[in-house]
Amino acid sequence: MPFGEDENTMTFPLRWPAALVLALPPCVAAAAQDPAPDATLPEITVTVNKQAENLDTVPASVSVIEGTALESAGVHGLDALSAQVPGFSFQAFGQSGVQPPVMRGLTANFVSFSSSTLLLVDGVPTLMAQGFEHSLQGVDRVEVLRGPQSTLYGRNAEAGVVSIATRQPGETPYASISAEAGNHGRRAGSFELGRALVPGRLYIGLSGEWRAQDGFIRHQGTGDRVDDRERQSSRLTLRWTPTADTEATLRHARQRWDDGAAQWGSIAAPRATVNSGTDSWNRSRGQTLSLDVSHRFASGLKLRSITARNVFDDRVLQDTDFQPADLLHVGRDYRLATTSQELRLEGESQALGGARWLAGLYLDRDDHDLRYEQKLPAALMRPTAGLAGSTAALFTHWTIPLAERWTLAAGARVERNRVELAPVGAAARSDDWSRFSPKLSLQYQWSPQDQVYTSLSEGYRAGGFNVFSPAMGYAAYEPETVRAWEIGAKGRLPGQRLRYAASLYTQQVRDMQVQQMGLPGVVYISNAARARSTGLDLELDYVFGGGWQLQTALGLNRTRFGRFSDGSAVYDGRRNPFAPDANLHVALRYDAPRGWWAQAALQGTGKVYLDAANAYRRPGYGLVHLSTGYAKGAWEIAAYLRNAADRRYDAVGYLNGQVVVYSPPREFGLRLTWRM
């Protein structure tokens, strides 16, 4: 029962759709009142360095998006969120639950069971593209930290970290209910509530969401839509505060997809049509259980422990010939399980002028059961393998005042990784690697709210085996390493109306892991000898007063192979697949005095190539999303129109020229929300 059950110049789009974007307000209260003429930007606290810090004083490139802003803009997944962050995107994949991230030109490889970017949800890591998703319902904020972060986060944080903090229940109760309906059969509902069970001691938080939508790809024979989508997610939080210095939080979260086919089609067929005789579906599941305990001692030291079990069931069957005869298809039945434990201690050293320090221990264990199915014209193969791994690491980070305006930050991590592959019918094999990952930054705070900084850091991605390549002898690939130098400036101008951030970086990548795609279902990893990535990230947030606010984000990146040959093919100077040279987000919002709101926003992404030879690509594109609404009291109603110009940006030539990944069409709908 394996299946059935349960180029080398920078490019950027030059023509943009001429339209406006109207978006919902950040919250009902803000929408119902006229913003003061002297409105200012608030202070923002972030924890991406595992300690609470003011965003304006962190010597790194960090983007923060509040949960209320995500809710008002109708952002329901990380793909939509990435459009607002410079240097961050996802590969065109067209399949729910599997999202390979791309940050600063470094890409994730979904067949390597590792990632270049780490996802953290309340401190619990997701280390691969499978399960790299979140509905963003009930979120307090999302922090995106760019650049190598292996010093604090270890393997698979070589390009950055996406950290999601969900809403914590407390003394103040909250509740909300939302319903949505739109074209293509879109319907959705969500709820969230939190309250004290025992005031001052025990609190509960609950949230849930259900979303469904009819597909847009039609079967030529039956006329049916084959790519319907349905997603469910839920979360339970129990928070216990027995004393003012001790806190324990138990969390359980679930995600579930019940989809039709991937948004794929044949490169030779009419757009958005298939003629498949093979049923295609996605019935993947994910769940996380974690216990987060912290205690502050009388001496001022703080101890924190995060224990977690993260399981993702990747269950997919997908036709790849799109014809009535079952000639080609692929299937996955994976159980991917990671158990992790982190202990860390933090405090201050008065001997070093009040230096803040952090030290910790991290352990994890992977236990993956992998059953793969590949149908070729002459054979049906069902390779099976067990894949195990373990990590042990010690890390530390120090922030040391050097003078009145100068600060030095230094950190280091020693980590050991082991990977064990046990293919059914073949000899088991294993390998291990040890890595020292340092980081150093120097910061000059030239005013209380403005700084310049420079940093030097190293990151890496774990090595492994080509699990389903018996013809290649299950070939191993080496860890990928990156050394990055960054210089930046950030802060807020007098009057607190404008927040800015700019960073210029260059990255040297060695043993770059590149995902190669042959025939449908034949995907493997090889190492490019060297690559270089350079780029610029810019962000601007400006409050005009009188209800107007402008937000912009621009990411420019150039990632090219140095020396890279794979057999007889030479790819020197080619672009890294799936890495755009540019992405842009611009949003202009107006909050009116009588409860209605409007926002104009524009999203753009440069072209990407789909293979190491740069023979196939997805074009650059610009999108516009329209919405408008009105709030009164606890109620709000909104109408939206996304991708207003109905722009197409299909990825043509996926799987070595065999497949098109279709871009979704224009969407419109209504949403009604009640909040307490």
Side-chain angles (χ1 to χ4, degrees):
M1 187 198 69
F3 305 98
E5 290 289 322
D6 265 43
E7 155 174 320
N8 290 319
T9 57
M10 188 169 292
T11 60
F12 197 66
L14 299 178
R15 295 189 299 174
W16 300 88
L20 294 178
V21 179
L22 305 178
L24 302 175
C27 62
V28 173
Q33 301 176 11
D34 185 17
D38 59 347
T40 60
L41 292 166
E43 300 278 349
I44 297 177
T45 299
V46 297
T47 57
V48 285
N49 283 327
K50 300 192 177 184
Q51 293 176 296
E53 300 173 276
N54 187 301
L55 173 64
D56 299 327
T57 65
V58 178
S61 185
V62 185
S63 299
V64 181
I65 306 176
E66 299 292 334
T68 51
L70 294 170
E71 181 182 2
S72 66
V75 174
H76 298 294
L78 294 180
D79 190 16
L81 177 141
S82 70
Q84 304 181 31
V85 179
F88 182 34
S89 61
F90 286 91
Q91 294 182 23
F93 196 68
Q95 194 173 96
S96 302
V98 180
Q99 289 206 122
V102 183
M103 189 172 289
R104 288 188 169 180
L106 302 182
T107 62
N109 305 311
F110 67 89
V111 298
S112 68
F113 306 104
S114 67
S115 175
S116 60
T117 302
L118 180 67
L119 173 64
L120 287 174
V121 180
D122 295 317
V124 179
T126 294
L127 302 168
M128 61 193 75
Q130 291 86 351
F132 202 110
E133 179 59 293
H134 196 279
S135 68
L136 301 177
Q137 199 265 336
V139 163
D140 181 60
R141 69 187 183 281
V142 180
E143 305 171 8
V144 182
L145 176 59
R146 294 176 292 278
Q149 306 302 325
S150 292
T151 299
L152 281 175
Y153 293 101
R155 65 186 176 112
N156 307 326
E158 62 164 357
V161 174
V162 179
S163 178
I164 299 174
T166 61
R167 191 170 290 119
Q168 282 277 74
E171 290 294 331
T172 304
Y174 58 84
S176 68
I177 301 175
S178 180
E180 181 180 325
N183 69 326
H184 300 294
R186 176 181 290 269
R187 57 272 188 206
S190 65
F191 76 93
E192 185 181 12
L193 62 89
R195 58 164 297 167
L197 295 177
V198 180
R201 288 290 183 270
L202 185 62
Y203 312 91
I204 187 171
L206 293 168
S207 69
E209 181 187 57
W210 172 81
R211 309 189 69 82
Q213 185 172 21
D214 296 338
F216 63 92
I217 301 173
R218 289 191 177 274
H219 194 284
Q220 294 173 340
T222 66
D224 295 336
R225 299 178 180 91
V226 300
D227 60 318
D228 293 352
R229 294 285 182 268
E230 182 177 338
R231 182 180 74 189
Q232 300 175 26
S233 62
S234 61
R235 188 178 67 254
L236 166 67
T237 303
L238 288 173
R239 179 175 171 232
W240 181 44
T241 56
T243 71
D245 297 317
T246 304
E247 181 175 326
T249 304
L250 179 67
R251 298 182 178 94
H252 181 251
R254 296 177 63 92
Q255 297 184 88
R256 174 182 173 182
W257 294 268
D258 193 358
D259 297 350
Q263 293 170 341
W264 294 5
S266 170
I267 197 169
R271 187 182 188 275
T273 65
V274 297
N275 198 22
S276 299
T278 304
D279 187 28
S280 299
W281 44 261
N282 178 356
R283 298 169 188 156
S284 298
R285 309 284 186 269
Q287 60 178 318
T288 302
L289 180 65
S290 68
L291 178 62
D292 187 343
V293 181
S294 64
H295 177 74
R296 185 175 296 277
F297 298 94
S299 62
L301 295 178
K302 183 179 179 180
L303 178 65
R304 187 174 182 184
S305 168
I306 301 176
T307 308
R309 174 75 169 173
N310 199 347
V311 179
F312 188 79
D313 293 311
D314 184 19
R315 306 179 68 186
V316 172
L317 184 65
Q318 177 61 45
D319 181 33
T320 55
D321 59 68
F322 311 107
Q323 297 300 315
D326 185 11
L327 300 177
L328 301 169
H329 73 245
V330 294
R332 304 191 301 270
D333 189 357
Y334 300 166
R335 164 149 286 207
L336 308 165
T338 300
T339 304
S340 61
Q341 173 66 62
E342 181 175 87
L343 288 169
R344 61 179 187 254
L345 187 67
E346 63 179 276
E348 291 188 4
S349 172
Q350 298 305 319
L352 294 175
R356 294 184 297 116
W357 59 269
L358 174 77
L361 166 69
Y362 175 81
L363 303 168
D364 72 26
R365 175 71 183 178
D366 294 333
D367 291 291
H368 306 329
D369 294 322
L370 309 173
R371 291 188 292 171
Y372 184 69
E373 182 170 303
Q374 181 179 2
K375 176 66 169 66
L376 298 174
L380 175 63
M381 297 180 293
R382 288 177 172 168
T384 302
L387 184 66
S390 61
T391 301
L394 294 170
F395 60 91
T396 187
H397 186 268
W398 292 70
T399 303
I400 306 170
L402 298 180
E404 182 180 356
R405 298 185 178 183
W406 292 89
T407 303
L408 176 70
R413 185 185 189 99
V414 178
E415 183 163 300
R416 184 174 181 83
N417 308 115
R418 182 173 178 82
V419 177
E420 303 166 356
L421 173 64
V424 173
R429 60 215 65 207
S430 65
D431 207 343
D432 56 74
W433 305 271
S434 296
R435 184 69 189 173
F436 174 70
S437 301
K439 184 173 184 177
L440 187 68
S441 68
L442 184 63
Q443 172 186 354
Y444 177 65
Q445 197 81 30
W446 59 273
S447 82
Q449 294 177 323
D450 301 270
Q451 62 152 306
V452 293
Y453 67 89
T454 184
S455 66
L456 182 65
S457 57
E458 293 190 3
Y460 79 104
R461 183 179 351 184
F465 297 94
N466 282 285
V467 176
F468 297 120
S469 298
M472 300 172 58
Y474 304 98
Y477 49 87
E478 293 300 310
E480 175 179 298
T481 62
V482 58
R483 176 174 293 175
W485 173 78
E486 180 174 333
I487 184 170
K490 62 194 304 185
R492 289 187 289 172
L493 296 188
Q496 311 304 311
R497 291 190 176 194
L498 187 147
R499 175 180 281 115
Y500 66 92
S503 58
L504 178 68
Y505 61 88
T506 182
Q507 303 179 136
Q508 293 279 0
V509 188
R510 294 179 181 272
D511 293 317
M512 189 177 205
Q513 295 174 13
V514 183
Q515 183 171 285
Q516 300 277 57
M517 298 184 183
L519 294 173
V522 181
V523 186
Y524 63 96
I525 303 295
S526 60
N527 289 102
R530 292 185 181 182
R532 178 188 288 272
S533 175
T534 58
L536 175 68
D537 294 336
L538 297 171
E539 291 183 282
L540 181 72
D541 191 352
Y542 180 49
V543 177
F544 295 83
W548 291 91
Q549 184 172 0
L550 174 70
Q551 295 176 311
T552 66
L554 173 65
L556 303 175
N557 176 269
R558 186 182 189 275
T559 302
R560 302 292 186 269
F561 299 136
R563 302 194 315 273
F564 179 25
S565 60
D566 186 21
S568 61
V570 178
Y571 302 125
D572 295 7
R574 302 293 185 179
R575 290 172 52 165
N576 193 29
F578 306 107
D581 275 359
N583 74 313
L584 171 71
H585 175 76
V586 180
L588 178 65
R589 188 180 75 222
Y590 175 65
D591 292 292
R594 297 185 180 275
W596 64 271
W597 351 267
Q599 177 174 308
L602 179 64
Q603 167 197 344
T605 301
K607 71 179 177 183
V608 299
Y609 288 101
L610 310 178
D611 62 323
N614 293 179
Y616 307 104
R617 69 176 187 170
R618 185 191 68 188
Y621 62 90
L623 299 181
V624 179
H625 316 292
L626 299 166
S627 22
T628 188
Y630 176 74
K632 185 173 183 180
W635 293 90
E636 70 175 4
I637 187 170
Y640 62 84
L641 174 62
R642 301 189 181 105
N643 188 9
D646 202 19
R647 182 68 182 268
R648 296 179 179 178
Y649 47 100
D650 300 342
V652 181
Y654 200 67
L655 295 182
N656 199 29
Q658 303 295 311
V659 170
V660 180
V661 181
Y662 296 121
S663 60
R666 175 170 47 213
E667 299 176 355
F668 58 85
L670 291 170
R671 187 177 72 188
L672 179 65
T673 303
W674 173 86
R675 298 183 183 90
M676 182 180 73

